[in-house]
Amino acid sequence: MADSEVSTTLPFISRRRMISTSFAASAASLLPCGATTPQSVCAFADPAIRAWEEWQTAQGKTLALCRKQQRLETRLQRTVGMPYAVVVVPDALKLVRISSAGELDRLIKAYPAVATKRNEVMARLTAHHERWNEADRAIGYSVALHEEELAMDREQELADRLWSTPASSLAGIGAKLAALIHSGEPSEECAEFPWPQIRSALADLRRLSQTGTFVQVRDEGQGFKGELNSESFETHSMADPVRTS
């Protein structure tokens, strides 16, 4: 294997780890909740609610695939370990862990004496990387990672559609705000702008719609739980939606 092949084919560890873990551990959303049936919500036919439901399904799938590939990644690391080679740096009297040809070249630039060990280090690194690839094919980590990335793309596509879909009810506006909070808020009590302001706007919708209570629903890996309440909109027909400016 050439040096460039080692550096470009090192395993890609998902960049979504921090985001997905945040969703699972601390993300929370406020959703309208009441005695309304799903049929009554559908009868109101707010396109924003339908877009929210589609996004919610996609978001739950992404989380499930994220956890799947995380399990496989952990299994792969326990089986062969992340590909690396340890280099002894005589001038600095220290050991340096190298994961790619590029890292090795930068180390040689800083400590020229290491150049004499380049071939040996690259041979060890290449061998470790080949063990990783063989275990990866058996475990299916890269396949799972690709599935997660496709699900992420779909989730983002549906999120963009949700943001661009005009709501025809206060419940629809609330659904969009709840999705925004769920997707972006670092923690349920984050005091940084704009999260308190968005939570305040969602509370205003609760008060104006007079739907009773909103319940806090934590994500447990299955997306949102609960029903959007359209109780206060029963007097509006399909031809007379709640207008927004």
Side-chain angles (χ1 to χ4, degrees):
M1 180 181 295
D3 293 357
S4 60
E5 291 176 332
V6 172
S7 62
T8 57
T9 59
L10 282 172
F12 171 75
I13 305 304
S14 175
R15 289 167 293 185
R16 187 180 168 83
R17 290 296 62 68
M18 179 171 63
I19 301 174
S20 295
T21 303
S22 176
F23 279 0
S26 62
S29 294
L30 293 176
L31 292 177
C33 182
T36 315
T37 65
Q39 290 77 10
S40 65
V41 174
C42 291
F44 194 72
D46 187 331
I49 293 178
R50 294 198 301 273
W52 174 84
E53 290 171 341
E54 292 179 356
W55 168 81
Q56 170 187 295
T57 299
Q59 194 265 344
K61 180 179 180 180
T62 299
L63 284 174
L65 289 172
C66 170
R67 291 187 173 115
K68 175 183 176 180
Q69 73 83 19
Q70 283 180 322
R71 290 193 299 271
L72 294 178
E73 179 181 272
T74 299
R75 181 181 171 188
L76 185 58
Q77 290 182 1
R78 289 175 177 173
T79 300
V80 297
M82 290 293 295
Y84 71 91
V86 175
V87 182
V88 178
V89 183
D91 295 345
L93 298 177
K94 65 179 180 179
L95 301 178
V96 178
R97 179 178 291 190
I98 296 298
S99 298
S100 70
E103 290 182 2
L104 178 57
D105 289 338
R106 287 191 292 273
L107 182 65
I108 291 174
K109 185 176 181 179
Y111 301 98
V114 177
T116 61
K117 302 180 180 180
R118 191 180 195 285
N119 291 340
E120 175 192 345
V121 172
M122 287 305 304
R124 285 189 278 121
L125 180 60
T126 299
H128 197 164
H129 193 272
E130 289 174 349
R131 292 196 300 273
W132 172 282
N133 286 340
E134 183 178 356
D136 183 9
R137 286 189 291 270
I139 292 173
Y141 165 70
S142 291
V143 173
L145 181 61
H146 180 62
E147 292 176 346
E148 182 202 11
E149 291 170 344
L150 292 177
M152 288 169 56
D153 292 341
R154 178 57 175 167
E155 178 188 339
Q156 185 59 55
E157 176 186 339
L158 292 174
D160 293 340
R161 181 185 301 176
L162 172 59
W163 310 139
S164 63
T165 299
S168 61
S169 69
L170 293 181
I173 298 172
K176 294 172 77 170
L177 288 176
L180 177 61
I181 292 173
H182 181 86
S183 298
E185 188 180 35
S187 66
E188 61 185 290
E189 296 180 353
C190 179
E192 296 181 1
F193 180 87
W195 304 113
Q197 291 77 14
I198 296 177
R199 291 195 299 267
S200 175
L202 193 53
D204 288 341
L205 285 176
R206 174 188 60 189
R207 174 175 51 81
L208 292 174
S209 63
Q210 298 178 348
T211 54
T213 62
F214 278 38
V215 295
Q216 192 173 65
V217 182
R218 291 183 179 276
D219 168 31
E220 298 297 342
Q222 301 297 323
F224 290 122
K225 302 180 187 296
E227 295 180 352
L228 287 171
N229 192 317
S230 63
E231 184 178 39
S232 64
F233 309 118
E234 292 177 352
T235 58
H236 296 279
S237 66
M238 288 289 294
D240 182 29
V242 175
R243 301 291 183 181
T244 59
S245 56

